[in-house]
Amino acid sequence: MTFPLPPNATIGLVGGGQLGRMSALAAARLGYRCHILTREQDSPASQVSAATTISDYHAPDGLREFAAAVDVISFEFENVSAEGLDLLASLKPVRPSPTILRISQDRVLEKTFLNGAGIPTTPWAPVQDLDGLHVAVERIGLPAVLKTTRLGYDGKGQVLLRRAADVRDAFAVLSPKPLILEGFVDFSHEISVVAARGEDRSYASFDTVENRHRDHILDVTLAPARIAEAVDAQAQAIARRVADALDLVGLLAVEMFVDPGGKVLVNEIAPRPHNSGHWTIDACPASQFELHIRAIAGLPLPPAVRHSDAAMKNLVGPDETALWPEILATPGLIPHLYGKVEARPGRKMGHVTRLFPKGALPGEFGIAAALGPAAPQSLGQRPSD
Ligand SMILES: Nc1ncnc2c1ncn2[C@@H]1O[C@H](COP(=O)(O)OP(=O)(O)O)[C@@H](O)[C@H]1O
Ligand SMILES: [Mg+2]
C-alpha cells in the first residue's frame, strides 16, 4: 500500500480508549476502516471500528496478527514496549515514528530531547536512588515534583515534595524506578497546542488553549487561551519547533506552563490526539482527530482554524456521569459519551462542549453559567470577573 492511503484502506490504532474512538469516527468519515489493538473486550474504540485484535501490547503473536490486517499503524496509547514497537515497525509503516514514541514514553529522554532542541523546561534531574534524590533536591530546591520517568498519566506516578521531610517517603512510594525530579512551576496558566505535520512537512496547529486540572485530571479546556500575545507566540513557536525537531508525521500535543514571568516552559509532549483538543470536534471544520488521520494517511492537511470559541468540560467518574440526563436536556451543550460501562472514580467517561461566537469566550462566570449542570465548582467563583 502506498500513501496517500486510498479510500477503504485500513488504519491500525493501538489502544482502545476514547482517543481511539474519536480517531476512528474521524477515519470513518474519510472513508477509512479502523482496526483496534487493545487488551479490553468491548473497548470504546472497538465499538465504532470495523475490527479489533484483542491482545497484550507486548505479545508478538497479537502484534503480528494486528499488523497483518492493517495498512498503517498509529496510536492512541503510548506505552508499547520497545520490542513491540520494533516488531510493528518491521511489518507496517508506523506513524508517528517509533523514535518519537520512545522519546515521549520517558520523561528523561523527553526533557533531554527538548532541551537539546533549545526548548525550555523547568530544571530537572534524573534520580536513580535516594542519595541521588538528596543531591537533586539540593540543586533544584523545594518545592519540587518527583515523578516516575515512565507510565505516568492523570497525575499518577508523581508526588509533590514540599519539605525535606517528604523526600524519603516519596522516593519509597513511587514506582517503577528510575525517577525524575522537576522544579515546581508556580504557573499562571497551563496551556497546550495540538499540531499536525504531514509527510510533505506541511504543518497545521490549533490555537493555544488553557487547561484547568482537578485532582490532576484535566477538568476544563478554554479555547482560545486567555494569554498575552507574546505568550501565545512562544507557545506556537515551541510546538512548531517540537514537530520539526522530531520530524513528525502525525499529530502531537505539547503541554506547557506559563511561569510567573510570562515565559513558556514545556511540561510534556504526547504524540497523539489529546484531551485538550476535544473542543476541536465541535469548534473547527477539521478536528484534531481528522488531522491525526489525514497526517498518518498522507492526505493534505486542512488549516487548523476554528469557527467558534469553546469551553470543554470532561465528565469524570460516577458523579459527573450522573449529570448526563440534565446535560442532554440543556440546549447548547454538545454531549460526547465514550461507551464505557463502568463509571469508576477518576475515569473519563465523556465530555461536553459549549461554543461561543469567535472572540466572545466569556469570563469565568459566563463560562460557568454556559456549562449549566456540567459547570465545575472551580468556575464562577470570582465575582470580579
Ligand atoms: N513541575 C511541575 N510544576 C507544577 N505543576 C506540575 C509539574 N508537573 C506536573 N504538574 C501538574 O500535574 C499535572 C500532571 O502532570 P504531568 O507531568 O502532565 O503528568 P501526566 O499528565 O502524565 O499525569 C500537570 O498538568 C500539572 O498540573
Ligand atoms: Mg500531562
Side-chain angles (χ1 to χ4, degrees), residues 110-178:
E110 188 172 68
K111 288 201 167 56
T112 304
F113 155 76
L114 289 165
N115 294 162
I119 296 164
T121 59
T122 190
W124 59 276
V127 170
Q128 312 289 346
D129 50 35
L130 190 55
D131 285 347
L133 178 55
H134 285 299
V135 174
V137 167
E138 198 67 16
R139 179 161 82 71
I140 288 172
L142 294 178
V145 186
L146 186 63
K147 303 181 180 178
T148 61
T149 56
R150 304 175 69 86
L151 303 173
Y153 70 98
D154 287 346
K156 293 186 176 49
Q158 56 178 279
V159 175
L160 175 65
L161 306 183
R162 294 176 196 279
R163 296 170 301 269
D166 299 338
V167 169
R168 181 181 288 271
D169 282 355
F171 182 82
V173 142
L174 286 172
S175 85
K177 309 279 194 294

Side-chain angles (χ1 to χ4, degrees), residues 119-378:
I119 296 164
T121 59
T122 190
W124 59 276
V127 170
Q128 312 289 346
D129 50 35
L130 190 55
D131 285 347
L133 178 55
H134 285 299
V135 174
V137 167
E138 198 67 16
R139 179 161 82 71
I140 288 172
L142 294 178
V145 186
L146 186 63
K147 303 181 180 178
T148 61
T149 56
R150 304 175 69 86
L151 303 173
Y153 70 98
D154 287 346
K156 293 186 176 49
Q158 56 178 279
V159 175
L160 175 65
L161 306 183
R162 294 176 196 279
R163 296 170 301 269
D166 299 338
V167 169
R168 181 181 288 271
D169 282 355
F171 182 82
V173 142
L174 286 172
S175 85
K177 309 279 194 294
L179 308 176
I180 179 173
L181 187 72
E182 299 181 8
F184 177 81
V185 184
D186 186 19
F187 53 78
S188 65
H189 299 80
E190 281 201 81
I191 58 177
S192 57
V193 173
V194 174
R197 191 167 174 276
E199 59 183 0
D200 61 355
R201 301 183 180 165
S202 56
Y203 176 84
S205 71
F206 291 98
D207 288 310
T208 312
V209 298
E210 179 181 341
N211 301 314
R212 309 271 183 88
H213 291 78
R214 190 162 63 108
D215 301 333
H216 294 282
I217 301 172
L218 182 66
D219 185 28
V220 173
T221 294
L222 303 178
R226 292 176 295 200
I227 49 177
E229 241 170 76
V231 173
D232 186 35
Q234 285 177 67
Q236 289 290 333
I238 284 172
R240 177 86 203 225
R241 188 180 293 194
V242 169
D244 286 342
L246 290 171
D247 198 15
L248 172 74
V249 178
L251 179 111
L252 65 70
V254 185
E255 297 179 12
M256 293 168 273
F257 301 124
V258 183
D259 84 2
K263 185 173 176 191
V264 176
L265 308 172
V266 171
N267 172 28
E268 61 173 351
I269 59 180
R272 52 165 172 77
H274 192 263
N275 197 168
S276 70
H278 290 1
W279 64 278
T280 62
I281 299 175
D282 301 307
C284 302
S287 72
Q288 65 163 348
F289 300 100
E290 177 164 347
L291 265 68
H292 175 215
I293 296 300
R294 281 183 178 245
I296 63 171
L299 299 182
L301 289 186
V305 290
R306 70 176 203 285
H307 52 67
S308 302
D309 289 0
M312 188 285 309
K313 165 80 178 79
N314 272 338
L315 301 176
V316 178
D319 295 351
E320 293 183 346
T321 308
L323 301 170
W324 189 244
E326 275 179 87
I327 288 167
L328 289 174
T330 306
L333 286 186
I334 306 174
H336 298 257
L337 209 56
Y338 304 148
K340 299 180 185 179
V341 176
E342 201 191 336
R344 290 192 292 272
R347 196 170 196 211
K348 293 172 181 168
M349 302 299 291
H351 70 269
V352 295
T353 310
R354 181 88 189 208
L355 300 182
F356 304 90
K358 220 172 156 180
L361 190 68
E364 307 275 320
F365 249 34
I367 289 168
L371 286 172
Q377 287 175 355
S378 60

